[in-house]
Structure formats: C-alpha cells, structure tokens
Amino acid sequence: MALQSNGSISISDVKTELGSSSYSLTSLSTSASKTAPHGLKEFYGYTHSTLVDNDYYWKGDGVNDTLRNSGSSIGWNTSTDLSWSGWYRIDSGGGAVEQLGSISTSTPSGSNQVFLQFHGGFNRIFLRVRVNGTFGQRQYPLHDNSSITGVSSAGWKSTNRGNVNSDGFAHFTFTYDASDTSSNAFQFYWNGAQLTSSVNNQSGTRSSSWTAGSFAIADIISSTTNNPNVFQGGVDQVSMYDKVLSQSEITALYNSGTPITGTDASVTSNLLGEYRLENNANNSASTFPNLTNTGGTFTSY
C-alpha cells in the first residue's frame, strides 16, 4: 500500500512501504543517494529521479596522472572573474609541490596561466594569475589558518589532513576578481570558511588579458604531459564559474561536508562547467570540454 500524500505517517507505515524489518529511520536508505532520510516528511512526494549518485572520485598516485585538455575553446579570459570549487584529499607524505588545477592558453604557456597549487615546503596554498609573464598572487599558509584548516606546521599530508569529511576530503574554493588589481583579487575558502592570513602577496600587472584554451585538474597545464608535480590524492566534484561566488553559494557547494556539483547545490549562475568524476572525465555542464584521463583511476568510495 502506497503512503498517503498527507496526514500522519508512522514508522510502521514506512517500514511496510519499504519492506524493512527495522523501526530505525537511520537504517532506511535510498538506492540513489545512499543517504538516510532526515525525517518522515521527506517521504512525501519522494522520487528517486531527483537524487544524484556520487559513488566515485578520481585518484592520482602523483606520477604523471592527470585530467587535462589542450586546444579547446573554454569560454573564459583573464579579464573576467573566475571561481573554482572542488574536493581534495591528499595522499602524499608531504613536502612536495602539488598542483590542484590550472588554466592556460590554447597552446599551454607558463607566461599566461592560472594555477591553484599546494607547496609542501612552505605548507601554503598558492593562487596565481600570470599575464604575459607578470603575475598577481596570494599565498595562504595552512598552519597560520589552522583554526579553519586544522592543519599544523607539520604540513598538509596523508597523516595530517586537517579538517576533512569522513572520507578525508576537504572542500576548496578559489575566487578571482578580475576588476581588483590588488592581491585581494584572490580569495581562498576551506570547507566554506574564508582563510584570512596570507603572505608574499603580489598585485601584478593585469592590464592586458589572454583567452583560455587549455585546462587541467590535479596538474599544471603545459606543453609536456609528464609533469613532476601532479597531485597525489583524490579529487571530486569540480566546478568552474565566470564570476566571484558569494559566501552563501560557497556554503551551498560545501554542503555540510557531502560532495555535490554546482547543479546539485543549485549554484548554476555563470557556471562554465563541472566534473562529477563519476567513473569518467566528462563535463556535465556548459562550455568547458571533456578531459582526457591519463594514469589516474576512478575509485569507489
């Protein structure tokens, strides 16, 4: 007998509907989300089609593994705002330079590049935009922001991941305000909270611009495919926007520690592209291209 559309619903009614032998709501899950309902009211109007599976993440071992595409129209240039959102779990022993993601021109160039990087020697997140060899940047020491990151001076590594979810992932958001010519153009958020302590900031000269045509996740895009500083660890649910995300949008993407895409979080305004990394490297929205997976594995949670 189907549940009624209104009125009282008992645990017994739910148990009968789902064929469950348990009277505990926490034991009831859906085949699509694998997340227990928060309350009886969630059974009203329930449909499996509104839920999104998230069984996989991409995992690199730090030896040339990469997700990248070169020579495609990406639909963004450095005179336009940018935001990058994604989930990262570090698996290395620390101390290395590791790339979290990058964008460059159609023919990848170190003189014209955006990158998000972790520098293990300094225990810092680097945010940098280069235009014709001149760059603006901001560096965030994770230990100086330990109240947010949970990372000590011992460094961000597999044994010191800091504040992460139950699968060891932290949510990173990088925003770039193209109209701000100071280092304040760059902001970084860990699990939805903005880092405040930064060092070695440079405003750079960004009077000109370049058009993006190459893109990489967990790698710095360049003319060679064998970069020594690719990311060693897991990456999931990456989204890019041609705007500066608001705090409320970043909070929605963080989603209390459960990885989802911008579409799932209803953060879709100015969405350039998103990668669920569900056993493939396909772009599931807008202008960014599908990526080629080299060496990395799609791993089940």
Side-chain angles (χ1 to χ4, degrees), residues 85 87 164-165 169-171 173 190-193 249-260 265:
S85 167
W87 289 84
V164 294
N165 67 12
F169 285 79
H171 181 247
T173 306
W190 180 295
N191 289 345
E249 289 172 322
I250 293 169
T251 299
L253 288 165
Y254 170 54
N255 192 40
S256 301
T258 300
I260 55 175

Side-chain angles (χ1 to χ4, degrees), residues 229-247:
N229 301 130
V230 294
F231 184 63
Q232 182 177 343
V235 186
D236 200 9
Q237 307 287 19
V238 174
S239 302
M240 288 75 57
Y241 300 81
D242 60 351
K243 72 171 185 177
V244 174
L245 290 168
S246 68
Q247 178 64 70

Side-chain angles (χ1 to χ4, degrees), residues 11 14 24-30 33-44 46 51 255-256 258:
I11 296 291
V14 174
S24 170
L25 278 178
T26 59
S27 69
L28 302 176
S29 63
T30 70
S33 69
K34 299 176 177 61
T35 301
H38 297 291
L40 286 172
K41 64 181 181 180
E42 294 192 10
F43 286 97
Y44 289 123
Y46 170 80
L51 299 172
N255 192 40
S256 301
T258 300

Side-chain angles (χ1 to χ4, degrees), residues 14 36 59 82 86 92 102 124 127 153 198 216 236 238 256 267 272:
V14 174
K59 177 177 170 59
L82 176 70
S92 71
S102 61
R124 296 176 188 171
L127 311 177
S153 58
S198 60
D236 200 9
V238 174
S256 301
V267 182
L272 287 170

Side-chain angles (χ1 to χ4, degrees), residues 71-139:
S72 295
S73 175
I74 289 178
W76 178 82
N77 63 68
T78 52
S79 63
T80 307
D81 297 341
L82 176 70
S83 293
W84 177 301
S85 167
W87 289 84
Y88 292 85
R89 187 196 69 201
I90 193 164
D91 291 341
S92 71
V97 174
E98 302 200 45
Q99 307 296 342
L100 305 178
S102 61
I103 302 171
S104 188
T105 50
S106 182
T107 300
S109 166
S111 296
N112 293 302
Q113 196 167 82
V114 176
F115 68 72
L116 174 62
Q117 176 191 91
F118 171 66
H119 197 301
F122 296 113
N123 196 30
R124 296 176 188 171
I125 294 289
F126 280 56
L127 311 177
R128 182 177 292 179
V129 173
R130 286 177 175 164
V131 179
N132 295 328
T134 302
F135 62 85
Q137 73 169 5
R138 204 166 191 184
Q139 300 179 20

